[in-house]
Amino acid sequence: MLKNKIIIGFAILGLISIGSLTGCGNMKEENTESKEITLLNVSYDPTRELYESFNEAFSKYYEEKTGIKVNIQQSHGGSGSQARSVIDGLEADVVTLALAADINSLNSKQELIASDWQSRLANNSTPYTSTIVFLVRKGNPKNIKDWDDLIKQGVNIITPNPKTSGGARWNYLSAWGYALKENNNDENKAKEFISSLYKNVSVLDSGARQATTTFVQNNIGDVLISWENEALLAINEKGDGDFEIIVPSISILAEPPVAVVDAVVEKKGTKEIAEEYLKYLYSDEGQEIAAENYYRPRNEEILNKYKDKFANLELFTIEEFGGWEETQKKHFNDGGIFDEIYKKE
């Protein structure tokens, strides 16, 4: 009798073991077909509201299409700082940063992303654009109208640090482009202009959103050099006429790019969903969400629908400075022009 019980016990254990092995064998299938998938989007400061809306829309779209639930987590900060976090091991499935130089920098220690990443999506993988404008206080008490007004004595400027913030580099280059135009491309005079401008900077925050907080909430400064989308958001959220947007005579076409981080998605098995996530930024719904959050959509029809939101001004491009690789090295790397001209007194 005891012998029969032992035999039956071993048989039950065997069935349990087979069942356990069968469950393990189906784990990969479960991960890709029924289990909730998590993506991490490492982004720059001012995109918080944009991706809150976009993530909700994409998750709904993807679940309806595939039956798979996607949970998208966000990380925000200065674009340069965010890139360094990914380099140091933050496992981003996708990066949506302020400029191409920061995405290129991901390969500084090891190859995290394919060198042809910009060719994978339209418009060099930039699904929306912006530009740089000024946010001033109600009534524009310092009478700021253009870049040259920023170097006047007594003007207190708020702009983030180009060493850590992508928006700050677009700000700097907008001023640089203006100075070159006004001085027949004389770089020495452009350096003098930029040096005078940064002497008027009282707070150099690490990111664009922090700079907005310094100006809007902490009530510091006469003018905030800002992303257009961030300035529009500030005015929309305040809603009490405390601020005005001043559009300069000329500015830069700011093109924030997006990319899948190849090494991470291959490791996690999330490549297909990550690629679909970025492609959806180009969909009609994705472009509408960009416009609703004050980014200029690439879709011309949708852009025209929202054209009254956006300033009409002359724009130059980063290519006029030789592209981001050359510009980053010349202006923002250690020992570059920014280090040369920025001397805090």
Side-chain angles (χ1 to χ4, degrees):
M1 189 71 172
L2 179 60
K3 183 178 179 181
N4 288 340
K5 287 182 178 179
I6 292 171
I7 291 171
I8 291 169
F10 276 119
I12 292 170
L13 286 172
L15 289 171
I16 291 171
S17 298
I18 291 169
S20 298
L21 288 172
T22 302
C24 291
N26 288 336
M27 185 63 73
K28 185 174 182 181
E29 182 179 349
E30 181 185 356
N31 282 341
T32 57
E33 294 185 2
S34 61
K35 188 176 180 181
E36 181 172 289
I37 303 299
T38 298
L39 295 180
L40 174 60
N41 176 2
V42 173
S43 196
Y44 64 105
D45 262 340
T47 62
R48 300 166 194 266
E49 294 78 13
L50 166 63
Y51 281 107
E52 282 177 8
S53 298
F54 177 76
N55 292 347
E56 183 179 350
F58 175 78
S59 295
K60 181 180 178 182
Y61 154 79
Y62 199 78
E63 185 172 4
E64 288 176 353
K65 177 183 175 181
T66 66
I68 299 172
K69 293 182 179 180
V70 185
N71 174 38
I72 301 134
Q73 298 178 346
Q74 288 294 127
S75 173
H76 295 276
S79 185
S81 298
Q82 291 292 81
R84 282 189 284 278
S85 294
V86 176
I87 293 167
D88 291 340
L90 181 61
E91 292 194 331
D93 297 272
V94 300
V95 287
T96 56
L97 297 179
L99 43 89
D102 287 336
I103 296 183
N104 287 333
S105 75
L106 297 186
N107 289 341
S108 61
K109 288 185 178 179
Q110 59 179 314
E111 189 171 343
L112 294 177
I113 189 168
S115 59
D116 67 346
W117 65 269
Q118 278 194 286
S119 66
R120 292 175 175 177
L121 294 168
N123 305 112
N124 290 321
S125 291
T126 57
Y128 43 77
T129 69
S130 190
T131 190
I132 304 304
V133 298
F134 309 145
L135 190 67
V136 300
R137 304 198 181 279
K138 182 179 180 180
N140 192 11
K142 292 298 176 81
N143 195 30
I144 293 167
K145 297 179 180 178
D146 211 343
W147 292 101
D148 56 346
D149 294 314
L150 301 188
I151 66 171
K152 292 178 178 176
Q153 187 174 0
V155 173
N156 186 338
I157 300 171
I158 305 299
T159 184
N161 189 341
K163 292 289 190 176
T164 54
S165 166
R169 277 169 276 174
W170 290 116
N171 292 353
Y172 170 106
L173 291 172
S174 296
W176 179 264
Y178 169 86
L180 286 178
K181 180 183 177 184
E182 293 298 305
N183 293 286
N184 297 314
N185 292 316
D186 186 325
E187 287 203 352
N188 287 326
K189 290 184 178 179
K191 286 181 186 179
E192 291 175 8
F193 180 86
I194 293 291
S195 180
S196 297
L197 187 152
Y198 277 90
K199 284 178 181 177
N200 280 350
V201 174
S202 61
V203 179
L204 207 62
D205 287 300
S206 63
R209 180 56 57 87
Q210 286 177 292
T212 303
T213 298
T214 295
F215 184 76
V216 172
Q217 296 184 14
N218 299 340
N219 202 35
I220 298 172
D222 301 309
V223 55
L224 171 70
I225 307 177
S226 172
W227 293 94
E228 177 185 51
N229 53 276
E230 187 79 343
L232 288 167
L233 178 65
I235 284 181
N236 181 62
E237 287 195 338
K238 287 294 290 185
D240 54 7
D242 283 351
F243 305 99
E244 300 176 17
I245 291 176
I246 303 299
V247 179
S249 62
I250 188 170
S251 194
I252 197 165
L253 177 65
E255 300 175 289
V258 301
V260 170
V261 184
D262 298 279
V264 173
V265 298
E266 287 168 8
K267 174 183 174 182
K268 293 171 61 177
T270 54
K271 180 178 180 181
E272 182 180 345
I273 297 175
E275 288 178 342
E276 187 82 6
Y277 176 76
L278 295 186
K279 286 178 183 176
Y280 200 66
L281 286 165
Y282 290 84
S283 70
D284 286 351
E285 183 174 26
Q287 293 285 283
E288 287 274 355
I289 291 170
E292 288 166 0
N293 285 275
Y294 311 110
Y295 291 82
R296 299 179 181 219
R298 288 292 193 175
N299 184 307
E300 289 293 332
E301 185 176 334
I302 295 174
L303 176 60
N304 286 333
K305 178 180 173 182
Y306 290 87
K307 64 182 180 180
D308 291 343
K309 279 188 175 184
F310 304 114
N312 183 16
L313 73 165
E314 181 182 350
L315 298 174
F316 52 86
T317 69
I318 189 66
E319 281 70 31
E320 294 177 47
F321 302 140
W324 265 114
E325 184 175 356
E326 181 178 332
T327 301
Q328 177 70 30
K329 181 179 179 181
K330 179 176 179 177
H331 290 271
F332 307 117
N333 282 358
D334 290 346
I337 292 175
F338 177 74
D339 284 351
E340 182 183 334
I341 63 94
Y342 183 67
K343 298 175 182 177
K344 193 68 178 175
E345 296 181 355

